[in-house]
Amino acid sequence: MNKRNYDQEFITTIVELLNTGCSVKSLSEEYGVSQASINRWKRMAITNGTPQAAEDTKETLRIKALEKELKEIKLERDILIKAVSIFSKSDR
């Protein structure tokens, strides 16, 4: 199966037709585009209209997850530092 590239104008037209009430199935049959592609274009239009916006969203989610993990690791480190200082005081 070959991956076909569609120009932005065509994609915009399909999304506009979706917004006017045409079904994904009818557009797929009429224009020879897979239903999955049409649904992906619809999602991209919802997320600010570009494939790059979808990528940015993925990157933003990854950054948030990494920041959360970093915060947890720093907390664990601080707890361990306090525990070491407590145990080193009791040894003296």
Side-chain angles (χ1 to χ4, degrees):
M1 196 179 270
N2 293 339
K3 183 175 179 178
R4 295 175 58 182
N5 292 324
Y6 299 98
D7 63 352
Q8 192 60 42
E9 184 179 340
F10 179 76
I11 293 171
T12 304
T13 303
I14 296 293
V15 172
E16 287 173 358
L17 288 170
L18 274 173
N19 291 336
T20 61
C22 293
S23 71
V24 172
K25 184 177 180 180
S26 67
L27 290 173
S28 173
E29 291 170 355
E30 185 175 342
Y31 291 97
V33 179
S34 72
Q35 291 182 17
S37 293
I38 295 173
N39 285 322
R40 184 175 61 251
W41 298 338
K42 182 179 176 182
R43 280 192 310 275
M44 286 188 309
I46 291 170
T47 61
N48 295 334
T50 62
Q52 187 60 39
E55 279 298 315
D56 290 345
T57 303
K58 289 179 187 176
E59 289 175 2
T60 303
L61 291 175
R62 178 159 166 68
I63 289 170
K64 286 182 181 180
L66 290 171
E67 286 174 344
K68 181 179 178 184
E69 183 179 358
L70 179 62
K71 182 179 178 181
E72 291 172 0
I73 290 171
K74 284 183 175 181
L75 179 64
E76 290 172 2
R77 181 203 61 198
D78 292 343
I79 291 171
L80 288 172
I81 289 172
K82 289 179 183 178
V84 167
S85 68
I86 291 172
F87 286 118
S88 66
K89 287 179 183 177
S90 65
D91 289 341
R92 292 184 185 170

